[in-house]
Amino acid sequence: MARPTLLQQVMRCGLCLLLWLGLALATGAQAQGIESIMAPGKLSQSHAKYEDDCKQCHVKLDRKAQDGLCMDCHKPVGADMRGKTGFHGHLEQPLTCKSCHTEHKGRDLKSAEFDQKKFDHSKTDYALKGKHEKAACDKCHVAGKKYREAAQDCNSCHKKDDKHKGALGPKCAECHTESDWKEAKFDHETTKFPLTGKHVDAKCTDCHKDNVYKDTPKNCYACHRKIDDQKGHKGLYGEKCETCHGTKAWKPSSFNHDNDTKFDLRGKHRTTACKDCHSGNLYKEKPKQECYACHKKDDKHKESLGTNCAACHTEKNWKEVAKFDHEKTQFPLAGKHAKVECKECHKSVMYKEAPKECIGCHLKDDKHKANLGKECGDCHNAQDWKNTEGRFKHDRTKFQLRNAHAAPSVKCSACHKDLTSFRNTPLPCLACHKKDDKHETQLGDKCETCHNDKAWKGTSFNHGKSRFPLTGRHIVAECKTCHLTLRYKDAARDCYSCHKKEDKHKLVFGVNCESCHSTRAWTTWTFDHDTRTKYRLESSHAKVACAACHKQAAPAGKDAAPLGTSCVACHRSDDVHSGGFGPRCDQCHQVESWKKVKSRVGQGADK
């Protein structure tokens, strides 16, 4: 039998196909297009509604367009791919959708299933750390919801573990870690109650009852009231425990009666219990400071000698009384006073009428003409009126003499021009040191800000309090590097004034050097063009030197001369079309390479 020719074989196949189509139509099959009939298999249940509409997923003669159609339907995935977020956005590019998701394999196909044990969670926006790495998927991903819809805040999963019942808000990560929920890392220094002394070792529950952390009292008495009631003062001394006690140790008391009150404790007063004098509430009933207030019961004289017990009695021993001695009066006799006859001061037998002030007897000897008042004893002594050495306590004035100011380094006459000008002497340093002011009064009269009284040439200026705190390499720079003269405020605060010679850009990028450079090292610089400008650098643009685009000097006050954002602004010389296709070069050319032209639908591959 003769073998059929090629034409006969084609005609037979075509005839068979027509017969098959006719049979399908004749048997009542649903009306379908030729593409649907020739499909390789049934679509999955989720795509079944598109079984007769192939163009929903396919573009004729263009397989690459299929991914775009997928992302048109699956918009969240498309957004991840474009924004490089989520699992799909972190995949190594380029990948097509069908690389992982197949179709036409029947209604029961689960095209989105994956091996949970091998899934790399670090490719998502939520990397697993600590105990999260061992947690089962269904602990966070609720059934019936997409994996991407899982909450990323702690409280969504750990609400039942919140012993604070929402009082501290939902930001669990501020105290807890992924390694152990019960392990807290809270820094108490960030609160209004930093922990010091024994508070550091105290348990949280000692102050925060029932895990309630907000509105915890900050005063000592709130926590230590029990101690005050059982072993302490029972509320008599008020609630300001810190006045006497410290956090280092509750005992002993740190209260210093001599420094913290107006009543110095001497003699037996020093060993007397507080309650012996302070019998009532300290902050409501302050005891008087006169001896008689406490020693009335000890007064055997029944007030016949007045209430000034100290005239005869001492703090050393109440019962120890010396025979009357002028040393025990308000006017002890000292020096030449001890040799003066009584009648020289006491003009009558009314001894109390005798003047106690020096000026009462020494008015004729006052060379200061009452300028210093009546307290002659502050400077003069009873041994020799003219000898004042060591008597006057300058520390009792508003100007203490220390270091180089102290005698014998400086004489009184250096500041006080004569015997009548001791008062109202100017206190500012500049009053005496004007000739030493090399800053020409530019820094004001607060010389002590930098200079000290040990030596005028020694300085201790804190640059951190100035308008230009020192950081990085500025800390080790010598003052004279920036301050060319002692008129310190004349020094410029902008980088360019000092670093002009380091400007390799020749003012192309302006004078705001700190936009890229830091004080740590001039050669260390960084500028993120994507976040700090409106023009993102992509592909080949990211490798181009700054000077390739920025060639003109920056305008005054600007970081760099403004450039156009259209391609033709830089690539005009590359435009072989002589502007024939307009300034939108990016419609055909790619950022990766100027010579690489984008493909057009229906025109073949890239040229």
Side-chain angles (χ1 to χ4, degrees):
M1 187 176 183
R3 188 174 183 179
T5 64
L6 178 60
L7 178 60
Q8 290 175 331
Q9 292 179 5
V10 171
M11 291 178 66
R12 288 178 181 177
C13 291
L15 182 59
C16 291
L17 178 59
L18 290 174
L19 289 174
W20 183 78
L21 288 174
L23 181 60
L25 292 173
T27 54
Q30 295 180 354
Q32 302 176 1
I34 185 66
E35 294 175 338
S36 177
I37 295 172
M38 297 181 68
K42 293 289 186 179
L43 293 177
S44 62
Q45 188 62 42
S46 60
H47 287 158
K49 58 183 176 181
Y50 303 125
E51 186 128 356
D52 296 329
D53 193 2
C54 302
K55 67 177 181 296
Q56 292 291 336
C57 300
H58 300 282
V59 177
K60 293 179 180 180
L61 304 178
D62 190 356
R63 292 186 176 183
K64 293 182 178 180
Q66 183 175 350
D67 289 344
L69 295 176
C70 292
M71 287 187 282
D72 287 344
C73 279
H74 301 280
K75 289 181 173 56
V77 176
D80 285 346
M81 295 288 283
R82 290 186 293 273
K84 298 187 181 302
T85 59
F87 172 70
H88 290 89
H90 287 87
L91 293 176
E92 295 181 1
Q93 302 295 333
L95 283 178
T96 61
C97 302
K98 67 180 182 180
S99 299
C100 301
H101 306 285
T102 60
E103 258 300 351
H104 292 290
K105 293 188 176 182
R107 291 285 190 265
D108 298 331
L109 175 68
K110 304 295 183 183
S111 61
E113 284 189 340
F114 59 92
D115 190 341
Q116 294 183 352
K117 294 182 179 180
K118 295 182 179 180
F119 182 72
D120 186 0
H121 218 284
S122 64
K123 298 295 185 182
T124 69
D125 292 334
Y126 192 90
L128 300 183
K129 301 177 182 178
K131 287 193 174 181
H132 285 168
E133 292 180 327
K134 300 178 181 179
C137 300
D138 57 4
K139 292 291 185 181
C140 302
H141 299 285
V142 181
K145 287 189 176 182
K146 295 180 179 180
Y147 286 104
R148 65 184 299 112
E149 295 175 354
Q152 296 188 12
D153 61 294
C154 308
N155 203 45
S156 294
C157 290
H158 293 281
K159 190 173 183 179
K160 65 179 183 300
D161 302 315
D162 182 14
K163 304 300 182 183
H164 317 296
K165 299 179 181 180
L168 298 184
K171 297 182 179 180
C172 313
E174 290 184 354
C175 299
H176 301 277
T177 66
E178 301 96 337
S179 299
D180 188 350
W181 180 262
K182 295 182 179 180
E183 178 185 337
K185 59 175 182 179
F186 182 71
D187 184 4
H188 220 284
E189 295 296 319
T190 60
T191 70
K192 295 181 180 179
F193 193 91
L195 300 182
T196 59
K198 288 196 173 182
H199 285 165
V200 176
D201 301 324
K203 295 180 180 179
C204 303
T205 53
D206 291 344
C207 300
H208 303 286
K209 307 298 182 184
D210 301 324
N211 288 319
V212 178
Y213 289 87
K214 284 196 173 182
D215 302 323
T216 302
K218 300 179 181 65
N219 63 308
C220 308
Y221 200 70
C223 287
H224 296 282
R225 181 172 183 173
K226 186 176 181 180
I227 297 176
D228 186 56
D229 289 343
Q230 295 179 351
K231 303 178 181 180
H233 320 296
K234 298 183 179 180
L236 290 177
Y237 297 160
E239 299 181 0
K240 297 181 178 180
C241 312
E242 67 275 10
T243 305
C244 302
H245 304 279
T247 58
K248 188 175 182 180
W250 186 263
K251 292 183 179 181
S253 168
S254 59
F255 184 74
N256 188 323
H257 210 285
D258 295 351
N259 295 335
D260 300 336
T261 72
K262 297 179 180 179
F263 191 86
D264 294 351
L265 299 182
R266 300 172 182 171
K268 284 197 172 182
H269 284 165
R270 189 165 293 280
T271 57
T272 301
C274 303
K275 63 181 180 180
D276 291 344
C277 298
H278 302 284
S279 57
N281 189 299
L282 179 63
Y283 293 96
K284 294 181 180 180
E285 303 174 15
K286 292 187 177 181
K288 296 181 179 180
Q289 297 185 11
E290 298 85 7
C291 304
Y292 204 71
C294 288
H295 294 282
K296 185 176 181 179
K297 65 181 182 298
D298 302 313
D299 180 21
K300 307 299 182 182
H301 314 291
K302 308 275 184 192
E303 298 186 25
S304 62
L305 298 181
T307 59
N308 186 17
C309 311
C312 300
H313 300 275
T314 67
E315 301 95 338
K316 187 176 181 180
N317 189 345
W318 179 264
K319 294 182 179 182
E320 182 182 328
V321 182
K323 62 182 179 179
F324 182 74
D325 185 344
H326 222 291
E327 298 295 324
K328 303 297 183 180
T329 68
Q330 295 177 347
F331 195 92
L333 300 181
K336 288 187 177 182
H337 286 164
K339 301 176 182 180
V340 174
E341 292 186 30
C342 301
K343 64 181 181 180
E344 293 292 331
C345 299
H346 299 284
K347 301 298 181 182
S348 70
V349 293
M350 300 296 293
Y351 289 159
K352 292 185 178 180
E353 295 178 355
K356 300 180 180 63
E357 302 86 5
C358 303
I359 200 70
C361 294
H362 294 281
L363 181 62
K364 64 182 183 298
D365 302 312
D366 182 18
K367 304 298 183 183
H368 311 295
K369 298 180 181 180
N371 178 263
L372 296 182
K374 300 178 180 180
E375 300 295 331
C376 310
D378 287 345
C379 301
H380 301 276
N381 60 58
Q383 189 67 36
D384 186 355
W385 180 264
K386 294 182 179 180
N387 184 7
T388 61
E389 184 178 354
R391 287 287 299 169
F392 180 68
K393 302 298 182 183
H394 216 288
D395 289 351
R396 295 169 59 187
T397 71
K398 296 180 180 180
F399 193 92
Q400 297 182 2
L401 298 183
R402 300 177 300 186
N403 299 318
H405 284 160
S409 300
V410 178
K411 295 182 179 180
C412 302
S413 58
C415 301
H416 307 286
K417 62 181 180 180
D418 55 46
L419 294 176
T420 61
S421 62
F422 283 2
R423 287 185 182 272
N424 301 322
T425 301
L427 301 181
C429 306
L430 207 60
C432 290
H433 293 279
K434 189 173 183 178
K435 64 181 183 299
D436 302 312
D437 181 18
K438 306 300 182 182
H439 313 296
E440 302 176 10
T441 70
Q442 188 194 62
L443 301 183
D445 60 357
K446 298 290 183 179
C447 309
E448 66 274 14
T449 304
C450 303
H451 300 275
N452 58 60
D453 51 15
K454 290 184 179 179
W456 182 261
K457 293 183 179 181
T459 60
S460 59
F461 182 69
N462 183 357
H463 222 289
K465 294 182 179 180
S466 72
R467 291 179 294 177
F468 193 92
L470 299 182
T471 59
R473 298 295 294 275
H474 286 168
I475 297 175
V476 297
E478 293 187 62
C479 303
K480 63 183 180 181
T481 305
C482 301
H483 301 284
L484 304 181
T485 68
L486 293 177
R487 291 176 62 88
Y488 289 162
K489 288 189 176 181
D490 291 344
R493 296 196 299 275
D494 63 290
C495 306
Y496 192 73
S497 295
C498 288
H499 294 281
K500 186 175 182 179
K501 61 183 179 182
E502 279 94 7
D503 181 21
K504 306 301 183 182
H505 315 298
K506 299 180 179 180
L507 289 177
V508 170
F509 297 136
V511 295
N512 296 329
C513 312
E514 66 275 13
S515 297
C516 300
H517 299 276
S518 69
T519 58
R520 294 177 60 187
W522 185 263
T523 55
T524 302
W525 67 274
T526 179
F527 185 83
D528 191 343
H529 209 286
D530 293 352
T531 60
R532 298 181 61 179
T533 72
K534 297 180 180 180
Y535 192 85
R536 296 177 58 87
L537 297 182
E538 300 174 336
S539 191
S540 295
H541 283 169
K543 303 174 183 178
V544 174
C546 304
C549 298
H550 300 279
K551 299 177 180 179
Q552 297 180 358
K558 301 292 184 179
D559 289 339
L563 297 177
T565 58
S566 63
C567 305
V568 77
C570 289
H571 294 282
R572 188 178 297 278
S573 60
D574 301 313
D575 182 13
V576 297
H577 313 296
S578 301
F581 293 130
R584 290 293 305 278
C585 311
D586 56 302
Q587 291 183 338
C588 297
H589 297 274
Q590 296 190 14
V591 179
E592 181 180 353
S593 174
W594 181 266
K595 295 181 179 181
K596 194 171 184 179
V597 180
K598 295 180 180 178
S599 63
R600 299 293 182 181
V601 176
Q603 295 182 3
D606 292 348
K607 295 181 180 179

